[in-house]
Amino acid sequence: MISTRIQSTASESMILSIILSFILFVCAFPAFSLSQNTQTNQTHQNRSFVILQYHHVSKDTPRVTSIAPAELEEHMSYLAENNTVISLQKALDLLKKGEVIPNKAVVITFDDGYKNILENGHPILKKYGFPYTIFINPSQIGTGSQLSWEDLETMKSEGVTFANHTLDHLHLLDRYANESDEQWLARIKRNIEMAEQLLTEKLGYSLKWLAYPFGEFDTKVKALLKDMGYIGFGQQSGAVGPYSDLQALPRYPAAGRYANLETLKTKINSLAMPVTDVRPQRYVMLIEEQLGTVEIDVKFDDILLARVACYFRGETLPIKETKTGFSINVKAKFYPGRTRINCTAPSLRDPSRFYWYSLPYFTAQDNGTYLD
């Protein structure tokens, strides 16, 4: 599990290093940039928003999912000065209606409903007047280090929104022994519906938003959510835009190793890469399996193929042009844990901002269960 996190971190560190070098080059040689068509540029900038994902707000909880209060204050101060923070509801409404999204819009989310969000995080967000959403596990509310239903009611009255994170933080990809696809999907459907029912009974509304625990999903889980009328949120990197999959919206983790504001800035100001299709459509890999060729269809109106770069576990992947985009060849073997392919490209009209797209992959252990 630790090695999986290190591989993901190494890959994103390489991406950010290359992106920062490119931005410095553009700043040093302004003529390098293409002349801008203001109307088109504004269209691109106003079609994306970024979702940040946090968990704990504390110095005393596991660092991998924690941000210290001082770090969160630093993040929020930066957002107040440089971005427009909007609610998840507003962002999704604008996205689905195809309406203009505020430039450099950011949405703030938390997972798991920890009490330290109220104690250490809420005062900071309230100070800046920022709306935010917490994805909770209703069966765990009021236990251990979790918020209570009374806490949720208080926070709700102050503008905080709550949504579904499954009833009990279920590994959605785990299977019981001899469980068929139909039985598995029926079981996780019941879990999601029970959580939503509790949220409705306790809070008085049902949003039908689900943040996948551990960011895990596959094509069948996505299809189930779509059939249930839910929007799904992952933990893979990238901005959200018109071509984003509503059952697999990306969020940037912003805690632990990802809390460094200097590297996070590039992600905060990123754009949604206009990916129209990916082949093959798969997310689950077997131990020591190789993915091979992946074809990614992209609209290139503000992206130059020569500037597209893709990375997997810290290595740059070779890119080949196709009729509708580009392809990559992943020869590395997969091992238990979570990992992702990240692809980026600078905007031609605003080279200080990068398009970003991520493909997540999940591999079970030998016993068929998935790592926490």
Side-chain angles (χ1 to χ4, degrees):
M1 182 58 192
I2 294 175
S3 63
T4 301
R5 291 180 183 136
I6 291 173
Q7 288 162 353
S8 297
T9 302
S11 177
E12 296 207 1
S13 296
M14 176 184 287
I15 295 171
L16 292 167
S17 176
I18 294 170
I19 287 174
L20 291 172
S21 298
F22 181 86
I23 292 173
L24 289 173
F25 175 81
V26 170
C27 292
F29 300 96
F32 178 77
S33 304
L34 298 181
S35 60
Q36 295 187 1
N37 179 308
T38 303
Q39 182 176 357
T40 305
N41 191 35
Q42 286 298 315
T43 299
H44 280 281
Q45 291 182 353
N46 295 345
R47 298 295 295 279
S48 294
F49 64 90
V50 161
I51 307 176
L52 298 179
Q53 179 212 20
Y54 298 96
H55 287 82
H56 288 285
V57 184
S58 174
K59 295 187 293 184
D60 305 317
T61 46
R63 178 57 180 169
V64 69
T65 54
S66 301
I67 185 168
E71 290 175 313
L72 184 65
E73 169 70 39
E74 184 183 29
H75 288 192
M76 297 305 108
S77 176
Y78 175 83
L79 293 177
E81 293 179 10
N82 298 278
N83 298 82
T84 302
V85 175
I86 60 176
S87 70
L88 182 54
Q89 182 70 71
K90 180 177 180 180
L92 292 174
D93 286 346
L94 294 174
L95 178 70
K96 289 187 285 188
K97 293 176 183 177
E99 296 180 359
V100 171
I101 297 171
N103 189 31
K104 295 187 177 181
V106 173
V107 171
I108 299 167
T109 67
F110 291 82
D111 284 5
D112 299 343
Y114 294 113
K115 202 170 186 71
N116 55 47
I117 299 172
L118 172 60
E119 295 169 341
N120 301 327
H122 185 68
I124 297 171
L125 289 149
K126 187 176 179 181
K127 167 185 171 182
Y128 289 98
F130 289 164
Y132 66 99
T133 296
I134 305 178
F135 291 95
I136 63 172
N137 310 107
S139 71
Q140 297 178 353
I141 293 300
T143 67
S145 60
Q146 294 279 310
L147 295 161
S148 67
W149 288 110
E150 290 75 18
D151 292 332
L152 267 61
E153 195 61 42
T154 298
M155 298 170 80
K156 172 190 167 186
S157 70
E158 296 183 357
V160 182
T161 302
F162 297 91
N164 199 330
H165 198 34
T166 74
L167 187 65
D168 48 6
H169 213 274
L170 178 73
H171 272 285
L172 293 176
L173 297 180
D174 276 358
R175 304 286 193 100
Y176 292 161
N178 303 315
E179 188 175 43
S180 68
D181 279 4
E182 291 75 16
Q183 291 170 330
W184 161 59
L185 290 171
R187 174 172 58 81
I188 65 175
K189 180 179 181 180
R190 285 195 302 271
N191 185 293
I192 294 167
E193 289 178 334
M194 289 172 66
E196 196 72 18
Q197 182 178 349
L198 268 174
L199 285 168
T200 304
E201 290 174 358
K202 294 289 188 176
L203 299 175
Y205 58 79
S206 171
L207 297 171
K208 289 196 171 184
W209 302 342
L210 178 77
Y212 298 114
F214 309 100
E216 295 170 353
F217 58 87
D218 69 0
T219 54
K220 292 178 180 178
V221 173
K222 286 201 312 175
L224 173 66
L225 245 65
K226 186 173 184 178
D227 184 62
M228 294 173 68
Y230 279 72
I231 294 176
F233 300 86
Q235 295 181 20
Q236 74 275 19
S237 302
V240 178
Y243 296 97
S244 295
D245 184 342
L246 287 177
Q247 280 68 51
L249 295 180
R251 294 184 295 164
Y252 284 113
R257 290 188 175 95
Y258 303 110
N260 185 318
L261 181 59
E262 290 308 308
T263 53
L264 188 62
K265 287 176 183 178
T266 302
K267 299 175 183 179
I268 287 173
N269 297 305
S270 65
L271 299 162
M273 187 176 287
V275 172
T276 58
D277 194 19
V278 176
R279 297 175 298 279
Q281 281 277 347
R282 64 175 300 187
Y283 304 97
V284 174
M285 300 294 296
L286 302 176
I287 296 175
E288 296 193 345
E289 186 179 7
Q290 293 173 297
L291 182 59
T293 300
V294 179
E295 294 185 344
I296 301 175
D297 294 350
V298 181
K299 289 187 173 295
F300 282 115
D301 52 337
D302 190 38
I303 298 173
L304 196 64
L305 176 63
R307 296 188 198 166
V308 175
C310 294
Y311 310 87
F312 181 66
R313 290 181 179 162
E315 295 185 3
T316 303
L317 298 173
I319 291 175
K320 291 185 179 180
E321 183 177 5
T322 65
K323 290 182 179 180
T324 51
F326 63 91
S327 69
I328 52 179
N329 190 9
V330 184
K331 297 180 180 180
K333 295 180 180 180
F334 284 76
Y335 296 97
R338 299 180 287 276
T339 189
R340 52 185 175 259
I341 296 169
N342 288 313
C343 295
T344 64
S347 163
L348 291 174
R349 299 179 180 89
D350 184 358
S352 68
R353 301 183 71 183
F354 275 69
Y355 289 93
W356 196 305
Y357 184 76
S358 180
L359 288 167
Y361 295 95
F362 314 102
T363 302
Q365 303 174 88
D366 287 325
N367 63 8
T369 62
Y370 289 80
L371 290 165
D372 284 351

